[in-house]
């Protein structure tokens, strides 16, 4: 039994993240990482810059929940100011109407009607809410994809046995077979002709998935699996789509960035640059170049995201004073700590603690 919610501008977490029910944000103010609790989520997002009252219309559907929401221009402006984010699920974006700009690893991409992209779990990105658009997001977990691939063994028909692996299948299989995969890659889907035809047919598949979510019954899971296969096949048709796999950085750069991130996590972002040089055996300039490439931030600023994350944890879960927290995190200058915190969270540490504890 799933739950249906109607939301009118009162779900700040959802507005900040533009994610679905079952998607919980970690450290929402820094906006770095999101978690998917459902096997898959289907979202319909409509953005109207000229409509002040219904600036953003949002429908999110999973096997467990359905949420409808609308937001005004002022609420959208307040809630969508986060940095690039990433998540523990795959995300397929498809543009139905209008145009959408998306920042992928600090590079700006334009998606037109009929186009889209499939992002792996390591790619940092952020949608821009500046143009009029209607977009579908399909978000799905590792175990959903593993179930999908296990269903491929039921090939009773000759046409199924002759099926050639699609670009999407290769992409997903390569990502899920390596649990320690740190590479950043995605696929762009560009319509080669007759965008209207592709929009109608892709949209038709999502409409059929929607019907299963609205009226689930015995066999609905199998129906969704079959529809997902159809989507794989449609987006891999060269007469309608050009599929462009994109890999960001080399394997060596990916591993190095992961090592930098692990050291940042262990030190709450307060590891000095010279210690990174000693631990990783690379010059500070090169390490800074790698961090800049993957986050758009200098090493110090990247470290501060981890530091402020820990500061927010202390404010939420301990009774330490603000001064004690600042000292524990290596700040000898109280004013510096306040300024850094306000830059990350748009409020003072005391205001943050008050707001959080009022919500508990």
């Amino acid at each position: 039994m799933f739950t249906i919610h109607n939301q009118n501008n009162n779900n700040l977490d959802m507005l900040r993240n533009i994610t679905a029910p079952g998607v919980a944000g970690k450290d929402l103010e820094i906006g770095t990482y999101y978690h998917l609790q459902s096997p898959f989520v289907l979202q319909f997002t409509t953005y109207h810059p000229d409509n002040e009252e219904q600036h953003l219309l949002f429908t999110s559907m999973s096997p467990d929940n359905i949420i409808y929401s609308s937001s005004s221009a002022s609420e959208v402006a307040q809630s969508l100011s986060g940095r690039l984010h990433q998540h523990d699920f795959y995300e397929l974006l498809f543009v139905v109407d209008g145009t959408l700009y998306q920042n992928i690893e600090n590079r700006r991409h334009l998606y037109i009607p009929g186009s889209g992209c499939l992002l792996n779990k390591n790619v940092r990105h952020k949608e821009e809410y500046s143009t009029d658009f209607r977009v579908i997001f399909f978000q799905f977990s590792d175990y959903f994809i593993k179930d999908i691939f296990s269903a491929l063994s039921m090939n009773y028909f000759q046409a199924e046995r002759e099926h050639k692996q699609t670009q999407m299948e290769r992409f997903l299989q390569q990502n899920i077979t390596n649990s320690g995969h740190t590479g950043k890659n995605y696929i762009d889907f560009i319509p080669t002709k007759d965008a209207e035809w592709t929009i109608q047919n892709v949209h038709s598949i999502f409409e059929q998935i929607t019907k299963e979510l609205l009226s689930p019954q015995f066999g609905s899971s199998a129906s969704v699996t079959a529809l997902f296969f159809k989507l794989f096949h449609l987006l891999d048709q060269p007469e309608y789509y050009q599929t462009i796999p994109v890999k960001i950085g080399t394997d060596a750069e990916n591993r190095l960035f992961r090592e930098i991130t692990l050291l940042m996590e262990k030190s709450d972002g307060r590891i000095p640059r010279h210690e990174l040089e000693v631990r990783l055996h690379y010059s500070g300039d090169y390490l800074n170049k790698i961090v800049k490439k993957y986050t758009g931030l200098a090493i110090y600023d990247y470290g501060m995201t981890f530091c402020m994350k820990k500061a927010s944890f202390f404010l939420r879960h301990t009774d330490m004073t603000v001064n004690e927290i600042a000292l524990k995190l290596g700040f000898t200058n109280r004013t510096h700590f306040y300024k850094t915190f306000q830059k990350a969270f748009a409020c003072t540490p005391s205001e943050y603690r008050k707001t959080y504890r009022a919500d508990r």
Side-chain angles (χ1 to χ4, degrees), residues 121-235:
K121 298 185 292 184
N122 300 322
V123 175
R124 292 165 56 87
H125 61 285
K126 178 189 173 185
E127 295 78 30
E128 286 187 19
Y129 289 80
S130 57
T131 53
D132 200 299
F133 61 75
R134 186 157 59 104
V135 172
I136 299 172
F137 295 95
F138 193 70
Q139 302 166 335
F140 44 92
S141 64
D142 269 333
Y143 65 90
F144 174 76
I145 292 302
K146 288 176 181 177
D147 287 344
I148 290 285
F149 283 131
S150 68
L152 284 173
S153 61
M154 297 186 297
N155 292 332
Y156 303 131
F157 299 93
Q158 184 65 28
E160 292 178 313
R161 290 190 287 273
E162 292 174 353
H163 166 72
K164 294 182 179 179
Q165 194 177 49
T166 67
Q167 193 80 250
M168 279 181 69
E169 288 175 77
R170 284 194 293 273
F171 173 88
L172 292 169
Q173 205 157 45
Q174 288 167 1
N175 276 273
I176 66 172
T177 52
N178 184 357
S179 59
H181 181 63
T182 60
K184 296 172 180 281
N185 58 334
Y186 62 97
I187 301 177
D188 273 335
F189 300 98
I190 310 298
T192 54
K193 63 177 182 178
D194 196 3
E196 188 60 35
W197 184 94
T198 59
I199 291 170
Q200 289 177 359
N201 282 270
V202 172
H203 193 264
S204 174
I205 293 174
F206 285 126
E207 282 185 332
Q208 292 174 70
I209 295 174
T210 299
K211 288 178 182 177
E212 298 294 340
L213 287 164
L214 288 173
S215 302
Q217 54 188 311
F218 184 76
S220 286
S221 295
S223 295
V224 171
T225 298
L227 290 166
F228 202 62
F229 281 137
K230 287 185 177 180
L231 188 62
F232 277 1
H233 183 70
L234 178 59
L235 293 176

Side-chain angles (χ1 to χ4, degrees), residues 260-279:
I260 294 170
T261 299
L262 289 173
L263 290 172
M264 290 288 188
E265 288 174 343
K266 290 178 181 178
S267 65
D268 296 323
R270 300 301 276 171
I271 183 170
R273 179 165 155 164
H274 67 82
E275 187 173 339
L276 284 174
E277 290 180 315
V278 172
R279 297 281 293 273

Side-chain angles (χ1 to χ4, degrees), residues 31 49 58 71 76 91 110 119 126 138 144 161 178 183-184 186 202 238 256 271 284 294 325 343:
F58 177 79
S71 309
V76 172
E91 183 172 79
L110 173 65
L119 304 172
K126 178 189 173 185
F138 193 70
F144 174 76
R161 290 190 287 273
N178 184 357
K184 296 172 180 281
Y186 62 97
V202 172
L256 179 56
I271 183 170
Y294 281 82
I325 292 171
K343 182 179 179 181

Side-chain angles (χ1 to χ4, degrees), residues 282-296:
Y282 287 97
S283 71
D285 287 342
Y286 182 69
L287 294 175
N288 194 62
K289 178 182 176 182
I290 293 295
V291 171
K292 190 81 173 177
K293 178 176 183 176
Y294 281 82
T295 69

